[in-house]
Amino acid sequence: MDHRTPNLIDPAAARRGFSWTAARDELTGLPDGGLNVAYEAVSRHAAGPRAHAEALRFVRADGRRHSVSYRQLDDRMRRFAARLRSIGVGKGDVVCTLLGRQPELYVAALGALARGAVFCPLFAALGPEPVEARLARGHARVLVTTERAYRTKVAPARERLPDLRHIVLVDDETSWSAFQADPSAGDEIEGTSADDPALLHFTSGTTGAAKGALHGHAVVIAHHTTGRWVLDLRPCDVFWCTADPGWVTGTCYGIIAPLVCGATLLVDEGGFEPRRWYSVLRDESVTVWYTAPTAIRMLMKAGPDLLPTGGFPKLRHVASVGEPLNAEAVQWGAEALGRPVHDTWWQTETGAICIANLPAEPLVPGSMGRPIPGIEAAIARREGAHLIIEDAPDSEGLLVLRAPWPSMFRTYVYDEARYRKCFADGWYITGDRARRDAEGRFWFVGRQDDLIKSSGHLIGPCEVERTLMAHPAVVDAGVIGKPDPVAGEIVKAFVELHAGVTPDESLRRDILAYARRRLGPAVAPKELKLTDALPRNRSGKILRRVLKAQEVEQGDVG
Ligand code: 6R9
């Protein structure tokens, strides 16, 4: 077959004839009829013709490479699982990682899933406050991290985390090797069912602390389907997902989907640097690339001089997720990379890509594309407790999805009431606003709530405001996303001081540094303004919308 012919040739026919039951049958399944993500992602390849194929390829910051075959990965994850078993960690227990893109993270994630535990990644750039909040909320039992991250972010809170029994330090020889010492042979893949919990992803809420969206092992059905049909993955591919594995994209498409599809997952341990990224794309012969609009815009900004001569002859497909993809970025991909960027849409709660520009469908820049086979999407408006579906083309409203599908979240942990509020009349309400055109394509309009999307990371204003208010000089704070041409939005804080406190530059800097120390660089405000009075409604609630409108107006003028 011509390697440019997409896996899914006729999406319209696939939509008509699709069933999730048939999609599940494409996976191997456990001998007793169960389903386990780690088994589908690794073990079934380790036992077949792909046993010695490259599962993971790490490109270290200094350019050296290190490869792990499916057989080796299977052995390492089973050893990790066996150790979890021997220390009494079982089905449903939460295993967190607080790590960068390093080999141990992949072993721990898959090992936890093989054990039947719930894998919960925490982004390494989170500060001590969000880390503690997530460990507490998830009742984490095991944390896999580095000595430094443990000492600075977790140790001070340890007394408040009674459920956290085991700390595995990957850079402490004794600690990590204990998790690789138990023999791997035997029955270490737990007999999980499709409904047993597998993944816990924290996502920001508009009010209160982060919410823990819980997914079952059934997610792997959607990862397999979307991996093949949306990202066009096949076993010969070298796939690079630039999302950090501390977030949902970095787990679902930066670990699970490419392995389930039998591809080689490339992991770049270095940071963003345009020249380096181009050389990874070219020298590692990346065939499928999944990235974010912010990253594309950063490459656009870096200019064409850095592009390698001869381009990227192996690159077959490029897609992005996380924020609106502007038409210029789609076009830039076609010119600079030789492949247009295909927008895809999904959320932590949906567990997998739901709307996408499929490789076989004509690409319309600026649109998120169409629902993938197996997903029904619509535009709706609320009427009391009900939803009215807007069928007229081009009407704008709430983006809703017909529930359920295999990767749909099963609950927000310890907050079932909040979970139930996300549904009405059999539809899941995404919190996004969108438009659907006459051809059935969806166009992103905006969020219904105050959540901030900065460089693809979802940030809850409440979490930031609460930390700012803990500063002794601050009486109240309002946090918004300020439009930014590269990052989409940046976190901007407006802070009201206690009476009698002098608002000067050194205090402003002190508050910024305070927030950064506690929240970490990924969540802390980039800009901060001291103000006499924040805009409030009659009951005293801060009007973030007013702050935002002021910012947008100023941005337009400037
Ligand atoms: C995977 C992920 C979800 C929110 C989502 C929406 C925004 C995602 C988008 C997009 C415009 C796209 N979003 N994809 N907006 N176009 N193609 O990002 O999950 O962190 O939970 O964020 O991101 O607002 O509701 P998550």
Side-chain angles (χ1 to χ4, degrees):
M1 198 201 334
D2 173 3
H3 84 296
R4 293 212 189 276
T5 307
N7 283 335
L8 180 62
I9 296 165
D10 188 348
R15 283 190 187 96
R16 282 193 302 274
F18 187 85
S19 96
W20 284 112
T21 313
R24 179 181 171 154
D25 290 342
E26 305 233 355
L27 294 168
T28 310
L30 294 172
D32 65 355
L35 191 66
N36 183 286
V37 176
Y39 182 83
E40 299 301 331
V42 185
S43 306
R44 68 181 181 130
H45 300 303
R50 304 233 1 106
H52 301 291
E54 210 180 0
L56 302 174
R57 185 192 302 167
F58 295 93
V59 181
R60 303 213 166 110
D62 63 9
R64 280 181 305 145
R65 297 140 136 224
H66 166 74
S67 289
V68 181
S69 71
Y70 275 97
R71 174 78 48 90
Q72 289 167 328
L73 184 56
D74 190 54
D75 177 56
R76 290 177 200 174
M77 80 176 197
R78 283 175 189 258
R79 285 172 183 268
F80 191 90
R83 180 66 176 176
L84 287 179
R85 180 197 298 272
S86 72
I87 60 171
V89 174
K91 228 172 170 173
D93 287 336
V94 173
V95 175
C96 287
T97 51
L98 179 63
L99 290 171
R101 303 174 175 91
Q102 54 197 90
E104 294 84 358
L105 183 151
Y106 299 81
V107 172
L110 294 158
L113 290 163
R115 178 66 199 106
V118 176
F119 172 60
C120 172
L122 302 177
F123 185 42
L126 290 178
E129 283 186 10
V131 167
E132 179 183 344
R134 286 156 178 74
L135 289 170
R137 186 79 178 173
H139 292 265
R141 183 93 184 263
V142 181
L143 174 68
V144 188
T145 186
T146 60
E147 193 276 323
R148 185 185 151 78
Y150 177 70
R151 188 167 29 84
T152 56
K153 297 182 183 177
V154 184
R158 191 73 195 270
E159 276 172 21
R160 296 187 292 273
L161 299 166
D163 297 310
L164 188 57
R165 309 259 176 80
H166 306 280
I167 306 291
V168 188
L169 300 176
V170 299
D171 45 3
D172 174 322
E173 186 52 33
T174 328
S175 174
W176 178 251
S177 56
F179 272 77
Q180 287 292 280
D182 290 9
S184 70
D187 60 345
E188 288 86 13
I189 304 283
E190 181 70 21
T192 45
S193 79
D195 294 326
D196 281 333
L199 300 174
L200 175 60
H201 280 112
F202 280 96
T203 180
S204 297
T206 17
T207 55
K211 311 169 282 188
L214 189 69
H215 290 94
H217 280 268
V219 287
V220 71
I221 306 168
H223 294 161
H224 186 228
T225 304
T226 53
R228 281 177 315 148
W229 287 358
V230 182
L231 299 177
D232 206 40
L233 290 173
R234 44 196 92 175
C236 59
D237 276 320
V238 176
F239 173 71
W240 184 20
C241 170
T242 60
D244 190 279
W247 299 96
V248 74
T249 305
T251 306
C252 297
Y253 294 95
I255 306 180
I256 302 170
L259 296 178
V260 175
C261 295
T264 296
L265 171 63
L266 184 120
V267 181
D268 176 29
E269 294 186 49
F272 175 82
E273 206 279 298
R275 212 181 291 268
R276 178 189 169 83
W277 274 30
Y278 286 140
S279 89
V280 169
L281 273 177
R282 187 183 159 88
D283 302 342
E284 300 301 326
S285 301
V286 171
T287 53
V288 181
W289 195 34
Y290 197 31
T291 189
T294 294
I296 299 280
R297 288 190 292 263
M298 282 160 81
L299 292 176
M300 290 167 76
K301 210 175 148 189
D305 295 348
L306 300 181
L307 282 161
T309 38
F312 307 92
K314 294 284 167 53
L315 196 59
R316 189 178 81 245
H317 190 65
V318 179
S320 86
V321 67
E323 338 146 42
L325 181 70
N326 44 323
E328 296 76 22
V330 176
Q331 192 51 36
W332 174 87
E335 284 156 22
L337 306 174
R339 303 272 111 202
V341 187
H342 290 65
D343 194 10
T344 70
W345 177 96
W346 60 291
Q347 324 175 290
T348 302
E349 287 83 350
T350 70
I353 298 166
C354 291
I355 298 176
N357 287 278
L358 292 168
E361 285 180 321
L363 187 60
V364 177
S367 157
M368 307 195 288
R370 294 191 173 91
I372 64 147
I375 295 287
E376 186 188 348
I379 300 298
R381 72 185 148 83
R382 280 183 192 273
E383 208 163 272
H386 295 284
L387 287 177
I388 309 291
I389 300 298
E390 309 269 18
D391 282 324
D394 291 325
S395 41
E396 184 189 309
L398 297 169
L399 175 62
V400 298
L401 306 174
R402 168 74 71 195
W405 61 95
S407 64
M408 188 182 90
F409 69 138
R410 306 300 175 100
T411 191
Y412 287 128
V413 282
Y414 309 105
D415 201 350
E416 182 67 18
R418 197 166 189 172
Y419 177 71
R420 267 187 256 116
K421 274 197 205 145
C422 299
F423 298 86
D425 300 334
W427 295 89
Y428 162 65
I429 305 158
T430 65
D432 282 355
R433 295 184 65 78
R435 189 162 57 74
R436 185 179 54 191
D437 66 22
E439 278 81 47
R441 284 190 202 92
F442 284 79
W443 300 73
F444 183 77
V445 172
R447 288 200 59 99
Q448 176 79 357
D449 53 31
D450 289 338
L451 294 187
I452 301 162
K453 256 281 160 135
S454 184
S455 300
H457 298 152
L458 201 59
I459 296 163
C462 274
E463 208 167 9
V464 182
E465 288 162 1
R466 207 169 335 114
T467 295
L468 289 167
M469 283 189 268
H471 187 284
V474 176
V475 66
D476 214 341
V479 167
I480 58 154
K482 173 184 165 182
D484 180 87
V486 175
E489 291 182 311
I490 58 163
V491 178
K492 174 150 188 176
F494 296 81
V495 158
E496 204 175 296
L497 300 175
H498 281 290
V501 179
T502 319
D504 59 23
E505 180 58 16
S506 87
L507 177 62
R508 199 186 68 84
R509 283 174 192 268
D510 184 68
I511 301 170
L512 266 175
Y514 172 89
R516 201 176 153 91
R517 246 183 349 260
R518 295 184 161 217
L519 295 166
V523 179
K526 295 268 183 301
E527 290 185 11
L528 187 140
K529 190 171 174 195
L530 304 177
T531 149
D532 298 340
L534 290 161
R536 289 190 170 79
N537 68 8
R538 273 194 223 154
S539 54
K541 193 170 173 259
I542 291 173
L543 295 166
R544 295 194 193 108
R545 252 175 303 124
V546 174
L547 291 170
K548 184 148 184 170
Q550 287 169 359
E551 243 354 272
V552 172
E553 250 171 52
Q554 284 172 10
D556 286 349
V557 174

